[in-house]
Amino acid sequence: MSIVVTGATGHLGRHVVEQLLEKVPAEQITAVVRDEAKGAAFAARGVKLAVADYNTPETFDGLFAAGDKVLLISGNEFDKGRVQQHQVVIDAAKAAGVALLAYTSAPGSLKAALADDHRGTEKALLASGLPYALLRNGWYHENYTENLAPELEHGAVVHAAGEGRLSSASRADYAAAAVAVLTGEGHENKTYELGGDEAWSFAEYAAELSRQTGKEIVYNPVSVEALTGILTGAGLPEVFATILAGVDASIEKGELVVTSGDLSRLAGRPTTPLSEAIAAALKG
């Protein structure tokens, strides 16, 4: 039996493989990668590599074996039909008879367009009859902390979320939950609503940035349309800008507040505070 992680060299996948290496022997882990060279560091530590691509279904033929536990990390190619991409993995997992297919989804409360592909994939996974675990990941701290430069430069945090709050956590936190499900027992056919322990607003985020940098940084709330224009003006493709602005609209409605406590329970520890993620990013 292997634990198989798709998208293993992506932002979340790397954390998952790193944390799996702390729990199980390397030879029990298979990292699915598109570019073998990017997986070289894992291979050097004894992790098995499998080269496959969601857009090339035949690359998944024979990749899984009966009894495997598989983590399907959602793709990020929004323009290539993510549900169809994920269906490739589901079909291959079903053909092999895997013991569990865990999928990184989005909170059940999220109604933004971003969630549509996740709901479509959940539907396909349930229809497959495979033992599943839905890891409905909330938002990541890193979605904000990895892009601090413009906010520090302009002294402003610009979002279209009004006074809305969100329960974000670090990628390492979500990876810990996935690892708990992949290495533990009794997670078949379970749905986990995952988010940080503490919800926060963008006004609080700006205040924390100010506190840690000693600079005055204000929160400047704008309309969804204005934010879409700002993002496209900064070079983001319109499709992606519209998705991000739509997420802000959902944040204003409270759709990214997660109160289940599932994430800290699965991780076995409190989730990483936003202040810590900001401090790490400022050091980085």
Side-chain angles (χ1 to χ4, degrees), residues 239-252:
V239 173
F240 198 42
T242 303
I243 285 171
L244 289 180
V247 168
D248 270 17
S250 286
I251 290 170
E252 183 166 26

Side-chain angles (χ1 to χ4, degrees), residues 12-239:
L12 179 62
R14 281 188 179 281
H15 281 287
V16 173
V17 176
E18 286 288 349
Q19 292 186 36
L20 279 171
L21 282 164
E22 296 170 10
K23 293 271 185 84
V24 298
E27 61 269 18
Q28 287 181 19
I29 305 167
T30 299
V32 181
V33 299
R34 281 193 294 195
D35 179 350
E36 194 165 1
K38 285 188 179 170
F42 288 145
R45 294 167 70 183
V47 173
K48 288 186 261 184
L49 293 187
V51 180
D53 188 320
Y54 296 153
N55 300 307
T56 316
E58 59 272 19
T59 58
F60 280 91
D61 290 349
L63 196 155
F64 305 124
D68 283 354
K69 289 184 176 180
V70 179
L71 177 63
L72 168 54
I73 294 181
S74 56
N76 58 6
E77 296 174 310
F78 296 97
D79 56 340
K80 291 196 176 169
R82 292 197 296 168
V83 178
Q84 289 82 356
Q85 289 182 328
H86 300 156
Q87 185 76 56
V88 166
V89 180
I90 293 168
D91 290 346
K94 183 172 184 181
V98 305
L100 182 73
L101 181 57
Y103 171 64
T104 61
S105 191
S109 52
L110 184 64
K111 305 290 186 282
L114 177 75
D116 294 347
D117 289 346
H118 292 302
R119 301 293 161 251
T121 302
E122 288 186 3
K123 191 175 174 187
L125 181 48
L126 268 62
S128 75
L130 281 166
Y132 67 85
L134 299 181
L135 305 175
R136 287 180 167 168
N137 287 359
W139 223 221
Y140 301 118
H141 291 331
E142 290 89 345
N143 290 345
Y144 304 110
T145 59
E146 284 180 352
N147 193 32
L148 292 179
E151 295 172 343
L152 300 180
E153 183 188 338
H154 299 293
V157 171
V158 180
H159 277 281
E163 295 174 12
R165 304 175 77 76
L166 67 153
S167 313
S168 65
S170 71
R171 288 194 187 111
D173 293 336
Y174 292 106
V179 167
V181 166
L182 293 167
T183 58
E185 299 298 327
H187 299 289
E188 293 82 3
N189 306 330
K190 296 280 177 67
T191 299
Y192 296 107
E193 298 287 347
L194 304 174
D197 295 336
E198 299 288 335
W200 52 271
S201 68
F202 283 107
E204 290 166 344
Y205 173 69
E208 183 61 26
L209 273 180
S210 300
R211 188 183 73 77
Q212 292 201 27
T213 60
K215 299 176 183 172
E216 189 187 354
I217 295 166
V218 299
Y219 171 43
N220 180 14
V222 296
S223 68
V224 167
E225 294 73 24
L227 183 63
T228 306
I230 290 165
L231 294 172
T232 52
L236 271 191
E238 191 158 350
V239 173

